[in-house]
Amino acid sequence: MRAPSVAGRPSVRMNMTPMIDVTFQLILFFILAGHLAQQESPVDVRLPSAATGEKAKESETRRIVINVTPDSQILVGGRAVDEIGLRRVLEAEAARHDDLEVRIRTDRRAPYAAVAPVLVCCAKAGIWNVAFSVVEEK
């Protein structure tokens, strides 16, 4: 009986293509996730301070971030909207998602008259899960 020849066999090779594909997909995922996170808070607002409150918990609920600038401008997703536009956005999102959270980021210099319409629009859209972003008082 003759022994098999090692030289005649093809060597074992590892196909790197799937690993490279997965790596590029992960890179794209993190780039896009970072971009979307920056879109939620593109405006530098000086958040008001609070002595009491709870830290925000991560959850699976859909969240809309509304920014109110010192000059009373309302921004949703980086776009300026008026009260009618805000109400349309909130009603559309409330119709799509049963459990919707609205996070309001308002500048400490913004008057309450600029924040009140946001709260009214949330109430008219049937959204009761509303929270304000604040910084801890030192």
Side-chain angles (χ1 to χ4, degrees):
M1 181 186 256
R2 189 169 152 196
S5 170
V6 177
R9 268 196 233 162
S11 63
V12 178
R13 292 184 187 180
M14 183 179 270
N15 187 359
M16 297 297 288
T17 305
M19 189 170 73
I20 292 170
D21 287 345
V22 169
T23 304
F24 281 129
Q25 287 179 8
L26 284 172
I27 290 170
L28 284 173
F29 170 78
F30 286 115
I31 288 172
L32 291 174
H35 179 70
L36 291 175
Q38 285 178 350
Q39 268 189 333
E40 285 187 351
S41 56
V43 180
D44 262 344
V45 293
R46 292 178 50 209
L47 296 174
S49 60
T52 61
E54 296 178 9
K55 291 204 182 261
K57 297 175 184 144
E58 291 299 320
S59 64
E60 295 295 320
T61 61
R62 168 82 168 114
R63 180 186 309 147
I64 295 178
V65 178
I66 300 172
N67 292 297
V68 181
T69 62
D71 58 346
S72 303
Q73 189 176 23
I74 300 171
L75 302 170
V76 178
R79 294 184 186 171
V81 294
D82 58 357
E83 289 179 44
I84 297 168
L86 177 62
R87 187 168 174 194
R88 285 183 188 147
V89 168
L90 293 176
E91 286 174 348
E93 288 295 321
R96 274 187 251 151
H97 305 281
D98 293 334
D99 191 19
L100 182 66
E101 176 189 355
V102 171
R103 178 93 33 101
I104 301 173
R105 296 180 72 241
T106 182
D107 194 284
R108 65 179 64 180
R109 298 165 291 181
Y112 178 73
V115 179
V118 175
L119 296 172
V120 170
C121 287
C122 289
K124 287 182 179 178
I127 302 169
W128 303 106
N129 188 3
V130 179
F132 287 91
S133 293
V134 295
V135 293
E136 188 174 357
E137 193 174 75
K138 295 182 180 177

